[in-house]
Amino acid sequence: MRRLLTLGCALLLAAPVVARAQGKLNVIASTEDLASIGREIGGDRITIESIARGYQDPHFVEAKPSFILKLMRAEVLIVVGRDLEIGWLPPLIAQSRNAKVQPGARGYLDASQAAKILEIPTGQITRAMGDVHPQGNPHYWLDPENGGLIAKVIADRFSQLRPNDRAYFQQQLASFTTRLAEAVKRWTGLMAPYKGTKVVTYHRSYPNFAERFGLQVIGYVEPRPGIPPSPGHTLELIDEMKRQQIKIILMEPYFDQKTPNAIASQTGAQLLVLPPSVGGEKTITDYFKLFDYDVNLLVGALKKAGVKPGGSH
Amino acid sequence: MPVFRYGMALVFMATLLGGAPPASAQAPADAAQVRADLDQLRKDFEQLRQEYGQRIAALEAKLTAASASDTPSLAGAGAAAAAASSNGQQPPAPPEPASTSATAEPAIPPEQIPQVPVGAAAGGGSSGAPVYGGSPVAGSNAFNPDMAVIGNAVGATGVNRVAPEPALQLREAEISLQAVVDPYARADFFVSVGPEGAALEEGFITFPTLPGGVLMKVGKMKAAFGKVNTLHPHVLPWIDRPLAMNLVGGEDGINDAGVSVAKLIPNPWVFLEATGQVFRGESEDLFEPSKRSDLGFVGHLRGYQDISESANLDLGVSYARGHNPSGVADGIDAGRFTTDLFGIDATVRWRPLRRSIYHSFLGRSEVIWSRRGQPSGLQRGMGFYASGDYQVGRRWFAGVRIDRSANPTDVSLIDTGQSVTLTFRPSEFSQVRSQYRRTAYATGPTANEFLFQFQFAIGAHGAHPF
């Protein structure tokens, strides 16, 4: 009896140790941005894949059974949260048969928990406002500062699940945040002369980006989040853009360019397809290249538009 | 050895609580060692508690300072790096306030910015203190299930002498209540309220994390027979259900109380899922038990494969069996007749990822064979439908469908139908659909009808249909 008990307890105690001594940590991220940050932290100690592609609308990913297979084997699932994936991720998780990645489990990581979240509604909200996110704007990864905060929660979670690799993950984190801090200096330096420039965007994808780089979003091509452009709203927007002399329209690659093009030609503004995610363009292969691309594109356009320091014309 | 057992129990509990240091993985040999470990643990915990208390106090002080200066705080990432390297377990702290803020001043005076982001107001700049993580939790509502109501109003014009429908009716109001039960299960309830009263359409518990990769459901549910039988009316691409559903009990299909077990079959090639279900054996117009042991059985095998990132193929075979009431006379089941159903289904989907919200195609077909034992002899009938639905633009969908079905009790009677549909979706939460339907009935004149439907959903955002 005593031997059996000892053996049983030894096995119980040893089980997690054995599990931790396994190979690479298998991580699935819902978007390519989180996968890129996860890759920076995990290095060669993890395998990481994303579900959504950077060039597709992250609100409308299909819940394909092939994703269930990915989730079934995952030890960590990193999600954007704030209801961004509400239309497709819950059924995938429910069918994954994987206790490790169920919401509330240690393998389920909501990256928004540490990030700076904008546009959290404070009053009564209804769907008359369009597809508002009750927990705030989910496009928060577009502020590189948030990238650093996301990286930290990822490093902490990886360390919890692979305590033997803690030092490695923390070292990777330190390296990432140092490089990011340098890059942020570069990006904000490039954008600094144009601080206060007013822009129009298609969807509410860029509030964090705008705040970080000193842009001021004065209107949207969508009359309300998730609602396609309407003629009335478009006319109002054109008038407003003329009045305020708006020279830049930013849009996501997955929307139709017809209305933004019409607005651009009416107002003389430039239409920029500004990828909001890693993978949004072939050359954007990681989180740094995302901002490299977007900032360079913007600065080029602002120079072309003859925007002078301070955002005036 | 009660002391020994007591000690082992403590070690076990400590392990469960996640506090066991790696050294304890060696399974200590005696109780004294355990006690020492426990004391050490207690000390460690107390020390941690004090550290966290101090940190929280420091944080509070920082927050007060930040809100006093009212500068939206933007951190230097270097600070985050330093914090990260100093302690991996530290909760994410708000970064230091920076005096050189890059935040844009709002274009509109703050008092004009609505509290909620509406329309074109409120740009990138935010007012008030920044929010890091967290989210508002609605107090006592926190644990309420996700609730939604879907209304389905259907109208019909034209002539149908065989199966006439009213000019307009609220065919169904579906109330859904869904929530996680505990770490091991979730629950889904769907109550359908129609012209004939309220009924529980489905109500089941799902255990998503059972050992062996098994997904188990218990309760009343739609059986996993084919595709259309599993779908709620609001996700169908048509206003009605295809004629072939007559073979599986008509409008409601196989929907019964039972147990469902689904397992993925690992293989290197395709997604393969096998589902086995056992039901009470009662399904309107299809199965009826006369004894407790007259159970109904449903089996389904689903194969899925991505053809490309935009296209995929979904194939399934189904089988169902149960007792039918054709042999019941004077309350005695003299005939003991059964009905067997076989089905195959195929779905092809196309949705280009770069334009996923504008264009898509879904082609689907099901063939169902019925073998129904009855006093007049075995009736072998077949039914099928084939349909294609194309998303023309962000809000517009057009579709066609052909269908055919034998009458399960007299397979010489065959109905055929053709339909075209046009759907407009103002948003994810409402749709207006029209359907022209021509049905050639075996037992009456051909019907030409124009159906229209208004469908609207309020409440929680449900999953998108796939």
Side-chain angles (χ1 to χ4, degrees):
Chain A
M1 184 61 194
R2 185 178 161 177
R3 271 189 193 172
L4 261 179
L5 259 175
T6 316
L7 186 68
C9 289
L11 278 176
L12 271 172
L13 293 170
V17 175
V18 171
R20 281 167 196 174
Q22 281 171 355
K24 295 183 175 185
L25 191 68
N26 184 342
V27 186
I28 297 291
S30 69
T31 66
E32 290 200 55
D33 308 284
L34 296 179
S36 174
I37 298 172
R39 201 171 285 123
E40 295 279 352
I41 303 306
D44 59 2
R45 308 289 166 92
I46 65 161
T47 60
I48 189 161
E49 254 189 287
S50 73
I51 294 179
R53 298 269 76 88
Y55 45 77
Q56 78 180 116
D57 187 339
H59 301 81
F60 295 96
V61 178
E62 285 185 296
K64 296 178 190 177
S66 40
F67 297 143
I68 296 173
L69 294 180
K70 289 184 193 223
L71 285 181
M72 193 174 75
R73 296 186 280 263
E75 289 167 88
V76 185
L77 169 65
I78 311 173
V79 306
V80 175
R82 308 283 149 173
D83 286 353
L84 180 73
E85 303 103 332
I86 195 166
W88 51 276
L89 199 53
L92 289 177
I93 296 173
Q95 292 178 77
S96 71
R97 291 126 164 112
N98 185 347
K100 291 176 185 165
V101 298
Q102 303 291 320
R106 280 212 303 173
Y108 179 91
L109 176 60
D110 181 343
S112 75
Q113 64 176 248
K116 180 177 177 183
I117 305 299
L118 301 177
E119 298 182 353
I120 295 180
T122 48
Q124 177 70 31
I125 55 167
T126 81
R127 292 241 163 82
M129 300 159 182
D131 198 6
V132 284
H133 291 270
Q135 297 174 30
N137 192 303
H139 303 274
Y140 57 87
W141 68 86
L142 275 169
D143 177 353
E145 208 67 69
N146 272 340
L149 298 171
I150 296 166
K152 182 164 157 33
V153 288
I154 290 177
D156 287 349
R157 192 61 61 94
F158 285 181
S159 304
Q160 272 177 30
L161 293 164
R162 287 282 192 279
N164 294 341
D165 290 331
R166 171 184 296 275
Y168 176 81
F169 294 137
Q170 297 302 332
Q171 190 192 329
Q172 292 282 100
L173 173 66
S175 151
F176 174 70
T177 40
T178 310
R179 282 179 289 133
L180 190 64
E182 284 163 13
V184 169
K185 233 178 267 172
R186 193 170 73 239
W187 297 324
T188 43
L190 282 168
M191 290 293 294
Y194 309 103
K195 192 180 160 187
T197 303
K198 293 174 182 173
V199 299
V200 161
T201 75
Y202 193 107
H203 180 69
R204 292 173 173 277
S205 299
Y206 307 101
N208 296 80
F209 185 89
E211 190 190 73
R212 167 62 47 209
F213 297 111
L215 300 176
Q216 203 174 320
V217 183
I218 65 108
Y220 304 92
V221 177
E222 285 182 336
R224 289 183 169 60
I227 303 290
S230 64
H233 173 76
T234 303
L235 287 177
E236 274 175 33
L237 186 66
I238 288 171
D239 285 346
E240 188 61 23
M241 284 176 68
K242 282 180 178 166
R243 200 177 65 75
Q244 299 203 40
Q245 293 183 303
I246 305 302
K247 293 292 164 215
I248 302 285
I249 305 170
L250 306 178
M251 72 174 287
E252 301 78 351
Y254 40 79
F255 286 119
D256 191 38
Q257 294 190 11
K258 207 175 110 191
T259 307
N261 266 330
I263 297 172
S265 68
Q266 288 281 315
T267 57
Q270 292 180 72
L271 176 62
L272 298 187
V273 178
L274 196 73
S277 279
V278 174
E281 273 292 324
K282 265 186 192 157
T283 51
I284 306 176
T285 48
D286 63 34
Y287 193 65
F288 291 96
K289 293 204 174 87
L290 172 64
F291 292 100
D292 281 338
Y293 184 97
D294 286 355
V295 168
N296 286 332
L297 189 70
L298 254 174
V299 169
L302 289 164
K303 274 182 190 155
K304 195 176 147 196
V307 177
K308 292 191 184 76
S312 59
H313 300 275
Chain B
M1 298 289 289
V3 174
F4 173 79
R5 279 184 203 164
Y6 184 55
M8 289 314 287
L10 274 175
V11 173
F12 183 44
M13 282 182 70
T15 314
L16 280 184
L17 291 169
S24 69
Q26 308 299 325
D30 58 67
Q33 177 66 42
V34 172
R35 289 239 169 82
D37 281 352
L38 274 175
D39 285 346
Q40 185 59 42
L41 266 177
R42 217 171 278 139
K43 275 180 204 158
D44 287 349
F45 180 71
E46 191 54 33
Q47 193 185 337
L48 261 179
R49 205 177 64 81
Q50 280 175 4
E51 269 180 32
Y52 272 89
Q54 285 162 4
R55 276 193 195 145
I56 287 168
L59 268 178
E60 280 171 356
K62 269 186 196 168
L63 271 178
T64 319
S67 56
S69 65
D70 201 25
T71 324
S73 69
L74 303 167
S85 52
S86 68
N87 190 330
Q89 290 289 35
Q90 188 180 344
E96 302 287 331
S99 54
T100 51
S101 164
T103 311
E105 289 305 313
I108 312 147
E111 62 269 22
Q112 283 177 29
I113 298 177
Q115 285 183 307
V116 181
V118 187
S126 65
S127 55
V131 179
Y132 288 90
S135 66
V137 173
S140 60
N141 292 331
F143 292 112
N144 280 350
D146 289 340
M147 281 182 280
V149 183
I150 298 171
N152 182 0
V154 175
T157 60
V159 181
N160 186 333
R161 297 192 198 286
V162 180
E165 282 182 84
L168 185 69
Q169 62 175 334
L170 182 66
R171 188 186 272 174
E172 186 192 52
E174 183 190 286
I175 303 160
S176 64
L177 302 163
Q178 300 173 285
V180 168
V181 176
D182 56 24
Y184 318 105
R186 57 170 289 120
D188 297 83
F189 291 92
F190 302 95
V191 180
S192 171
V193 186
E196 285 139 31
L200 186 68
E201 193 175 7
E202 290 191 278
F204 55 85
I205 184 169
T206 308
F207 300 96
T209 60
L210 292 182
V214 169
L215 189 73
M216 188 165 100
K217 289 183 192 176
V218 183
K220 184 171 187 277
M221 67 196 98
K222 289 175 176 289
F225 187 91
K227 284 287 184 197
V228 167
N229 192 75
T230 62
L231 300 176
H232 285 236
H234 59 91
V235 294
L236 292 173
W238 325 286
I239 295 174
D240 59 349
R241 286 185 189 264
L243 292 168
M245 289 304 286
N246 291 339
L247 296 175
V248 289
E251 192 66 25
D252 293 327
I254 311 173
N255 183 355
D256 199 359
V259 177
S260 168
V261 173
K263 186 166 168 45
L264 298 183
I265 302 169
N267 68 87
W269 307 286
V270 295
F271 172 93
L272 205 58
E273 183 183 44
T275 308
Q277 301 179 314
V278 182
F279 292 108
R280 180 181 56 162
E282 183 159 329
S283 212
E284 207 180 324
D285 298 334
L286 183 67
F287 299 140
E288 197 171 310
S290 50
K291 294 195 291 190
R292 189 183 277 175
S293 58
D294 289 352
L295 299 172
F297 301 93
V298 174
H300 181 71
L301 185 68
R302 180 190 188 191
Y304 170 95
Q305 178 66 27
D306 286 320
I307 300 165
S308 69
E309 68 169 22
S310 309
N312 55 69
L313 190 62
D314 206 338
L315 300 170
V317 291
S318 313
Y319 172 72
R321 180 187 173 85
H323 285 259
N324 74 52
S326 65
V328 178
D330 299 331
I332 297 158
D333 191 357
R336 304 291 296 147
F337 293 114
T338 59
T339 297
D340 294 78
L341 297 168
F342 305 90
I344 56 172
D345 61 85
T347 305
V348 59
R349 297 181 188 86
W350 171 80
R351 185 184 288 273
L353 292 196
R354 289 168 198 275
R355 284 288 174 271
S356 62
I357 60 173
Y358 296 101
H359 297 294
S360 61
F361 175 78
L362 187 137
R364 180 169 279 166
S365 183
E366 277 188 63
V367 187
I368 297 165
W369 291 271
S370 163
R371 280 162 44 103
R372 189 176 198 265
Q374 51 190 47
S376 58
L378 189 66
Q379 293 286 318
R380 294 162 177 268
M382 187 270 267
F384 85 96
Y385 73 87
S387 76
D389 290 274
Y390 181 68
Q391 185 182 0
V392 184
R394 186 155 176 191
R395 296 166 145 179
W396 290 93
F397 300 75
V400 293
R401 183 188 75 195
I402 52 167
D403 51 344
R404 173 195 190 278
S405 180
N407 184 321
T409 58
D410 181 355
V411 296
S412 65
L413 302 174
I414 292 169
D415 300 335
T416 58
Q418 298 87 36
S419 289
V420 290
T421 59
L422 184 65
T423 307
F424 174 66
R425 283 196 195 143
S427 76
E428 273 188 81
F429 308 98
S430 65
Q431 79 178 24
V432 185
R433 174 172 287 159
S434 58
Q435 179 174 355
Y436 168 75
R437 181 175 73 178
R438 183 177 185 278
T439 318
Y441 290 106
T443 56
T446 295
N448 282 290
E449 293 164 284
F450 181 75
L451 310 176
F452 56 93
Q453 176 192 45
F454 287 82
Q455 195 169 283
F456 40 96
I458 54 172
H461 191 308
H464 302 142
F466 176 68

